[in-house]
Amino acid sequence: MFQKIPAQALSETVARQLLEKIDEGAFPRGGKLPTELVLAQEFGVSRTVVREAIARLRHEGVVEPRQGSGVFVTGQAGIKPLRIDYAEVSSPDAVLQIVELRRAIEAEVAAQAAKRRSDEDIAAIESALARIGQDVAAGGDGVRADVAFHQALAQATRNPYFIKTLDFLAQYLEAATAITRGNEARYEDFSRQVREEHEAIVAAIRAGDEMAARNAAQTHMFNAARRLSQGQQD
């Protein structure tokens, strides 16, 4: 039933093939998966690899273990989880694509943050912004602080889906931001631009100006793509 794969292959390969079989209906919702031993023999891998693959699918809500009965396909298995190949995010082209995705999301995040932010949110956003400068001044790249700053903006929207989406993207944004920040670090003017763009977003949110916040966030993302392209060319 399954395509044989090398024993050293990652559990992600097993998880992907299992998910494909579930999508095809080979294992219907509520149906039971074969045992670890059977799957290990089918795939030609160790039971440990199969166990890790099952754990991935369980984390995504595709399957669920039942004590003493085995592993079953859940009722929500037809809902496909968003997947991004982490290895691809480190390439320059992928970084630009992530920036494009961020531009669409961050613009609305900033606008809604301006509309709904509280005094506590403003304090958290300003604190996150300050940490970027502190990290860079201490010799760091400010990458994690930059990601935390944008997450603070999402928190101010009061929209759980903005928060969840940026939390999901954060694991990939760190790699993407590291490349853009690496380019920016070679140019003092780049660093100044980034700082001023962040400050413009915060100022608009503090003023409760939705349009200005949206425009400031879009400008920041457009310029991030421009700086990245310029850094690659140089």
Side-chain angles (χ1 to χ4, degrees):
M1 177 184 293
F2 297 100
Q3 177 183 353
K4 295 288 185 181
I5 61 176
Q8 68 270 22
L10 297 174
S11 57
E12 176 65 25
T13 305
V14 175
R16 185 172 60 251
Q17 288 197 30
L18 279 172
L19 187 59
E20 288 173 355
K21 292 298 181 182
I22 291 172
D23 287 342
E24 292 169 0
F27 302 114
R29 297 182 186 183
K32 183 179 178 180
L33 293 184
T35 65
E36 280 184 8
L37 178 60
V38 170
L39 289 173
Q41 293 172 343
E42 288 273 359
F43 284 110
V45 300
S46 69
R47 293 179 67 174
T48 299
V49 171
V50 171
R51 194 173 300 119
E52 291 174 353
I54 295 297
R56 287 171 181 262
L57 296 180
R58 183 177 69 248
H59 178 72
E60 294 175 358
V62 177
V63 300
E64 61 181 0
R66 296 179 187 173
Q67 188 66 34
S69 299
V71 178
F72 292 78
V73 179
T74 67
Q76 65 184 56
I79 303 175
K80 294 181 174 59
L82 177 60
R83 291 170 176 260
I84 297 178
D85 188 341
Y86 189 87
E88 295 178 355
V89 182
S90 61
S91 71
D93 287 345
V95 174
L96 282 172
Q97 291 167 346
I98 289 290
V99 171
E100 290 176 358
L101 176 60
R102 285 186 62 185
R103 185 165 65 229
I105 297 173
E106 296 280 4
E108 192 59 28
V109 163
Q112 294 304 316
K115 179 180 180 181
R116 300 169 181 168
R117 88 287 182 274
S118 65
D119 291 341
E120 290 77 13
D121 292 323
I122 291 296
I125 290 170
E126 291 179 339
S127 177
L129 178 60
R131 284 195 295 273
I132 298 176
Q134 293 165 1
D135 189 9
V136 173
D141 57 16
V143 171
R144 291 193 176 183
D146 187 289
V147 171
F149 167 73
H150 287 279
Q151 288 176 317
L153 300 184
Q155 289 288 340
T157 68
R158 303 288 188 275
N159 184 326
Y161 300 106
F162 278 139
I163 297 169
K164 290 178 181 179
T165 299
L166 286 188
D167 280 346
F168 170 77
L169 288 176
Q171 58 192 322
Y172 307 101
L173 290 180
E174 287 193 19
T177 305
I179 294 179
T180 56
R181 187 56 52 81
N183 285 327
E184 292 159 7
R186 292 181 297 178
Y187 304 95
E188 183 177 345
D189 190 43
F190 276 17
S191 296
R192 177 187 57 78
Q193 290 172 17
V194 173
R195 183 176 64 254
E196 291 177 351
E197 290 162 15
H198 281 162
E199 291 172 349
I201 295 172
V202 175
I205 292 174
R206 187 189 302 111
D209 190 330
E210 297 175 46
M211 184 62 69
R214 180 180 287 109
N215 290 339
Q218 286 180 333
T219 296
H220 176 49
M221 291 293 102
F222 273 117
N223 287 341
R226 176 183 55 79
R227 285 187 293 264
L228 175 60
S229 298
Q230 184 177 338
Q232 291 172 349
Q233 292 170 4
D234 293 345

